[in-house]
Amino acid sequence: MSEAILEVKDLCKHFHVGKNKILKAVDHVSFSIREGETLGMVGESGCGKTTCGRTCIGLYDKTSGQVLYKGKDVHQLKGAEKIAFKKDVQMIFQDPYASLDPRMTVADIVAEGIDIHHLAKSRKEREEKIYHYLNLVGLNKEHANRFVHEFSGGQRQRIGIARALAVEPKFIVLDEPISALDVSIQAQIVNLLIKLQKEMGLTYLFVAHDLSMVKHISDRVAVMYLGNMVELTSSEDLYSNPLHPYTKALMSAIPIPDPKVEAEREKTCIHLEGEVTSPINPPEGCNFCKRCQNAMEICKSKKPELREIEPGHFVACHCFNEEK
Ligand code: SF4
């Protein structure tokens, strides 16, 4: 088994949002990602998955805890180490149009990182690299001198991927990279990401709310709920044997393409009811308590810790705590 490239230890990212009001976007989250692995991170909008991804790569300061990339503290890097980290670690954003400068040609967008990190010794080498990365993502040299507005959503995301790859990264955070795209294009982009990972030995943190696509690309999946990680296990295990009540509800809501099977699924779908706990000054106890059908007395006062219930399968729920 390969070594961890990223280790996240008890990470908290809190925001002050008013007098005595603290939004706990990420609260005591721990996990690691092995080299060459894809970790999917899922949950409803506002669950803290994007904030977690951004804090992991130093785009946000942490409130407490630690993030280690190849054993070095991401939030303490300085000088040459920080420059090397910024080259090694890239991010691909949800909205490819907003993240690409409309005044720049595609060639200049892809070459931005090549120029910053001095990765081409001559104009010719720079040009060759641009064409190489455009080819890798399914575009070609004809596209190089055009502008972003001339491309479809899927093509724009391919340009964003080419820009990230051009600095020869090792680790990429993909922040909802397909959610702004048509369904027909989503699978193409996911398949492209899988192909690039195999060819280039990349490691991914894939942040998404679309559970079916996450299953397709991820080795393991982490489920987030209101700033907490509530379940973490292999992709197969999560889909065949979800344990946390929130994960079970998420899984039961995934539509199935076969109409007969879909009709059966709808009958057994778990509909979440009850008030959603506010992430601002959340109460003691389990954040899922007000919506959980299995809630017990202890759930109101004690926050469940993420524990290994089966080998490699972690759950944060008092139902799996022998001391309950
Ligand atoms: Fe439900 Fe309690 Fe488990 Fe929270 S800890 S998910 S409230 S059973």
Side-chain angles (χ1 to χ4, degrees), residues 10-297:
D10 209 23
L11 183 68
C12 293
K13 177 62 190 170
H14 299 169
F15 295 95
H16 290 271
V17 290
K19 200 177 173 203
N20 299 329
K21 286 186 180 169
I22 297 175
L23 188 153
K24 296 186 174 180
V26 178
D27 203 31
H28 300 287
V29 166
S30 299
F31 63 94
S32 61
I33 308 181
R34 295 187 286 269
E35 203 162 352
E37 181 186 37
T38 297
L39 179 74
M41 188 170 273
V42 300
E44 292 164 307
S45 151
C47 70
K49 54 193 191 302
T50 291
T51 304
C52 186
R54 291 180 178 211
T55 312
C56 283
I57 61 169
L59 287 183
Y60 291 154
D61 283 339
K62 65 185 180 182
T63 301
S64 62
Q66 201 177 33
V67 182
L68 302 177
Y69 176 75
K70 293 185 175 174
K72 299 212 167 116
D73 190 328
V74 164
H75 295 95
Q76 302 293 332
L77 293 174
K78 290 194 172 62
E81 278 187 342
K82 190 165 186 176
I83 293 169
F85 174 75
K86 284 189 168 178
K87 177 181 169 299
D88 251 27
V89 175
Q90 294 293 305
M91 184 150 185
I92 292 171
F93 297 89
Q94 176 179 1
D95 182 351
Y97 196 65
S99 64
L100 302 172
D101 189 334
R103 295 159 302 178
M104 289 168 74
T105 63
V106 168
D108 284 338
I109 288 171
V110 174
E112 224 179 346
I114 298 174
D115 297 340
I116 289 169
H117 295 284
H118 311 290
L119 299 175
K121 292 187 192 73
S122 62
R123 286 182 72 85
K124 186 163 177 292
E125 190 182 349
R126 180 182 188 268
E127 196 174 71
E128 282 169 359
K129 279 185 182 279
I130 292 166
Y131 296 158
H132 169 71
Y133 288 108
L134 287 178
N135 270 321
L136 261 187
V137 300
L139 299 171
N140 60 55
K141 62 199 291 188
E142 309 300 324
H143 295 119
N145 291 321
R146 288 161 60 180
F147 291 87
V148 178
H149 71 267
E150 299 174 56
F151 294 89
S152 66
Q155 285 174 317
R156 286 177 202 158
Q157 196 53 293
R158 286 173 193 268
I159 296 166
I161 296 168
R163 175 178 64 175
L165 294 180
V167 293
E168 300 160 22
K170 303 279 184 297
F171 176 59
I172 302 181
V173 174
L174 299 134
D175 184 15
E176 305 248 14
I178 53 170
S179 52
L181 305 176
D182 290 348
V183 175
S184 58
I185 308 297
Q186 290 184 352
Q188 289 177 17
I189 296 294
V190 166
N191 288 336
L192 172 66
L193 290 167
I194 293 171
K195 172 178 141 313
L196 293 168
Q197 181 176 41
K198 283 189 190 140
E199 287 173 6
M200 303 174 75
L202 298 165
T203 305
Y204 292 151
L205 173 59
F206 192 95
V207 174
H209 63 263
D210 182 329
L211 288 160
S212 43
M213 281 298 170
V214 168
K215 181 185 182 187
H216 189 54
I217 192 169
S218 304
D219 299 296
R220 290 186 301 147
V221 180
V223 181
M224 297 283 291
Y225 186 77
L226 285 183
N228 298 135
M229 188 172 285
V230 297
E231 189 154 2
L232 170 66
T233 187
S234 69
S235 186
E236 301 84 50
D237 210 17
L238 192 84
Y239 287 82
S240 62
N241 180 30
L243 295 179
H244 193 280
Y246 174 62
T247 315
K248 285 184 179 175
L250 278 185
M251 294 298 157
S252 78
I254 302 176
I256 298 166
D258 181 327
K260 274 190 196 158
V261 187
E262 172 63 7
E264 282 307 305
R265 182 201 64 80
E266 277 188 3
K267 285 185 207 159
T268 55
C269 179
I270 302 168
H271 295 283
L272 287 177
E273 287 167 1
E275 188 191 334
V276 181
T277 301
S278 169
I280 298 170
N281 295 351
E284 297 293 305
C286 176
N287 282 349
F288 191 56
C289 198
K290 289 182 184 165
R291 299 170 89 186
C292 183
Q293 294 172 352
N294 307 355
M296 301 167 280
E297 205 47 41

Side-chain angles (χ1 to χ4, degrees), residues 293-311:
Q293 294 172 352
N294 307 355
M296 301 167 280
E297 205 47 41
I298 190 177
C299 307
K300 292 181 194 161
S301 56
K302 191 173 175 195
K303 195 176 277 296
E305 285 176 18
L306 194 70
R307 290 165 181 254
E308 192 167 18
I309 305 300
E310 292 161 8

